[in-house]
Amino acid sequence: MSARMTDYFKRAEPAFKAMYALEAALKASPLDARLLHLVKVRASQINGCAYCIHMHVGEALKDGEDQMRLHLLAGWRDSSLYSERERAALAWTEALTLVAETHAPDADWNAVEAVFTPDEQAWLSIAIGAINVWNRVQVGFRAEHPTDRRHAA
């Protein structure tokens, strides 16, 4: 695999500046950083974005996330390591990431409504949309993750 383009950040600089501003807004949102990491890693796993998986696993570890929870994330439905809130967020992440297949089921939304405030519901949906944009850009341009075995951060 080799990168299709390496200067896309420069070529679409205003768009990427807006995306970075969105990321800053997400960090200031009412959502917990650890929850955001889980959402970003899970969407990136579904989308097969090695670049984003590498980045967000590294950030999650740096912020104190447990390694085993990250290892088990793809199988979260069968693990007791995730809270009700995290389960709702992960189900919603999968529903919106695969929206063409799922059509955002009411059952998944109802689970989000049960454990998130309306403000958090809005921010969670924006966070899921944002990581999906990043995944599509990085996968589309075949962005290469660092190849050392240390995690990014």
Side-chain angles (χ1 to χ4, degrees):
M1 185 181 93
S2 60
R4 289 180 170 153
M5 181 183 280
T6 58
D7 62 349
Y8 51 96
F9 281 89
K10 184 172 71 174
R11 292 180 177 278
E13 187 175 352
F16 285 106
K17 281 185 178 181
M19 288 296 296
Y20 287 127
L22 175 55
E23 289 300 322
L26 287 167
K27 283 184 182 183
S29 80
L31 297 175
D32 178 68
R34 286 181 51 165
L35 180 78
L36 285 172
H37 291 314
L38 293 177
V39 164
K40 290 177 179 184
V41 173
R42 184 65 191 124
S44 299
Q45 288 173 333
I46 293 166
N47 290 321
C49 185
Y51 184 93
C52 292
I53 293 168
H54 185 275
M55 175 190 296
H56 296 300
V57 164
E59 290 174 352
L61 290 169
K62 183 179 175 188
D63 285 348
E65 181 57 78
D66 180 72
Q67 287 185 18
M68 189 54 65
R69 284 170 33 98
L70 292 170
H71 287 300
L72 291 169
L73 189 54
W76 66 268
R77 291 179 191 272
D78 297 319
S79 173
S80 61
L81 296 181
Y82 305 94
S83 70
E84 181 182 5
R85 228 170 116 83
E86 291 167 338
R87 290 176 177 285
L90 291 168
W92 193 235
T93 299
E94 291 180 359
L96 293 186
T97 299
L98 300 169
V99 72
E101 297 170 29
T102 69
H103 306 284
D106 289 339
D108 291 337
W109 176 250
N110 293 340
V112 168
E113 278 188 312
V115 292
F116 288 95
T117 68
D119 286 352
E120 291 171 328
Q121 295 163 21
W123 281 104
L124 177 61
S125 297
I126 293 294
I128 296 164
I131 190 58
N132 275 281
V133 169
W134 284 115
N135 290 165
R136 280 148 179 76
V137 169
Q138 301 298 57
V139 169
F141 288 123
R142 301 277 190 261
E144 296 177 355
H145 66 82
T147 56
D148 64 18
R149 295 199 178 253
R150 293 172 287 158
H151 58 76

